[in-house]
């Protein structure tokens, strides 16, 4: 399993699919499945049985995970999608950076 280029809390751009062109914040990453849950993207309707959380039950709209290959990080400088690279900082720690602007991604 390889290391993913997207982490929880990143702002991403959707490259393909029904929600192409939308941006959102990553809520959860599933490395084993290579998927990420993005806020406001890939909304599905799920039938829920009544429970303590949903006393009425019925149809509930919620986000479904999106494959990592369909997401691109947003460049912190320009606000446009960019590829990322990894380089070492002065202390030898790996940091992600934008290939477009060279800006470090936190």
């Amino acid at each position: 399993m390889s290391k993913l280029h997207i982490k929880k809390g990143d702002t991403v751009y959707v490259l393909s699919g029904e929600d192409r062109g939308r941006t959102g914040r990553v809520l959860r990453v599933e490395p084993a499945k290579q998927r990420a849950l993005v806020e406001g993207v890939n909304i599905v309707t799920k039938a829920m049985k009544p429970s303590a959380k949903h006393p009425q039950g019925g149809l509930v709209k919620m986000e479904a995970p999106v494959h990592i290959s369909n997401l691109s990080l947003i460049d912190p400088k320009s606000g446009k999608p960019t590829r990322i690279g990894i380089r070492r900082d002065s202390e030898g720690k790996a940091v992600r950076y934008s290939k477009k602007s060279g800006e470090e991604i936190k």
Side-chain angles (χ1 to χ4, degrees), residues 18-96:
E18 192 178 301
D19 293 312
R20 177 179 44 227
R22 284 207 178 138
T23 59
R25 198 169 42 90
V26 176
L27 302 174
R28 187 177 75 223
V29 177
E30 300 171 8
K33 294 181 180 177
Q34 299 258 315
R35 293 185 166 270
L37 192 71
V38 182
E39 191 174 42
V41 173
N42 197 19
I43 302 291
V44 295
T45 305
K46 186 172 181 180
M48 299 285 266
K49 282 189 172 181
S51 65
K53 194 172 182 183
H54 301 283
Q56 286 292 313
L59 300 176
V60 177
K61 291 191 182 285
M62 59 193 307
E63 292 110 350
V66 180
H67 198 272
I68 294 288
S69 66
N70 296 329
L71 302 174
S72 180
L73 242 61
I74 297 288
D75 189 339
K77 201 172 194 178
S78 68
K80 293 183 178 178
T82 181
R83 294 182 302 139
I84 66 156
I86 297 174
R87 62 181 170 209
R88 302 280 172 184
D89 63 358
S90 57
E91 292 115 34
K93 190 174 180 184
V95 293
R96 299 178 303 159

